[in-house]
Amino acid sequence: MEVDHKHWIGKGECYLPCASLLTKLVYQAGSLPTKILCLTQVVNEEELKDDEEYEDIMEDMRGEGGKYGNLVNVIIPRPGPNGEPVPGLGKVFLEYSDVDGSTKARQALNGRKFGGNPVVATFYPESKFAQGDYGG
């Protein structure tokens, strides 16, 4: 990795990253623990169009997500009534009552196979989730 010294402060061989760079890196990667876990590569648009299949997926997510902590809410954005895409389509959001639950779920679910695909589990900003912003 190439070091961009404009974003680092320090003397000699020892450099410390600026707070703004650290903040960007932490939020970019979804590694700052929050109560919200975002799962990708779990569901596809076709599965979400069928009401019965959607309910089965919701039930599965509640059951699996509840194993790791107090699961408060499960949000799975669905295509619009005419099949139009919506923000967050293909993602599953698990809201826990505390960071401990979401952290345990992330450790257990990240990389696990679901429908033949490896699940990607990242923390999601609580403020965006609270605003119903699922596209981030």
Side-chain angles (χ1 to χ4, degrees):
M1 182 171 116
E2 192 173 311
V3 176
D4 179 359
H5 294 287
K6 291 183 279 188
H7 291 100
W8 293 70
I9 55 175
K11 294 181 179 180
E13 297 292 318
C14 181
Y15 291 93
L16 300 173
C18 293
S20 64
L21 179 61
L22 280 178
T23 302
K24 281 182 192 175
L25 291 173
V26 167
Y27 282 106
Q28 249 179 1
S31 59
L32 180 68
T34 68
K35 295 186 288 185
I36 313 301
L37 194 63
C38 176
L39 308 178
T40 57
Q41 299 185 19
V42 176
V43 295
N44 65 50
E45 189 174 338
E46 288 305 309
E47 294 170 321
L48 300 175
K49 287 180 181 178
D50 181 271
D51 290 339
E52 195 172 309
E53 201 162 347
Y54 178 80
E55 287 305 319
D56 287 346
I57 293 168
M58 286 292 284
E59 191 176 309
D60 289 348
M61 289 298 135
R62 284 187 195 107
E64 189 61 30
K67 293 178 182 179
Y68 309 106
N70 184 20
L71 189 62
V72 176
N73 197 5
V74 177
I75 299 287
I76 305 176
R78 296 179 80 180
N82 297 320
E84 64 272 10
V86 296
L89 189 61
K91 297 178 181 179
V92 174
F93 296 90
L94 304 177
E95 179 182 14
Y96 288 88
S97 61
D98 56 35
V99 173
D100 186 51
S102 63
T103 300
K104 287 177 184 174
R106 182 174 183 258
Q107 290 170 345
L109 299 174
N110 192 49
R112 188 166 149 189
K113 297 267 186 188
F114 190 88
N117 297 317
V119 174
V120 177
T122 57
F123 295 111
Y124 195 78
E126 292 173 24
S127 58
K128 283 183 148 188
F129 183 81
Q131 294 169 6
D133 179 358
Y134 306 127

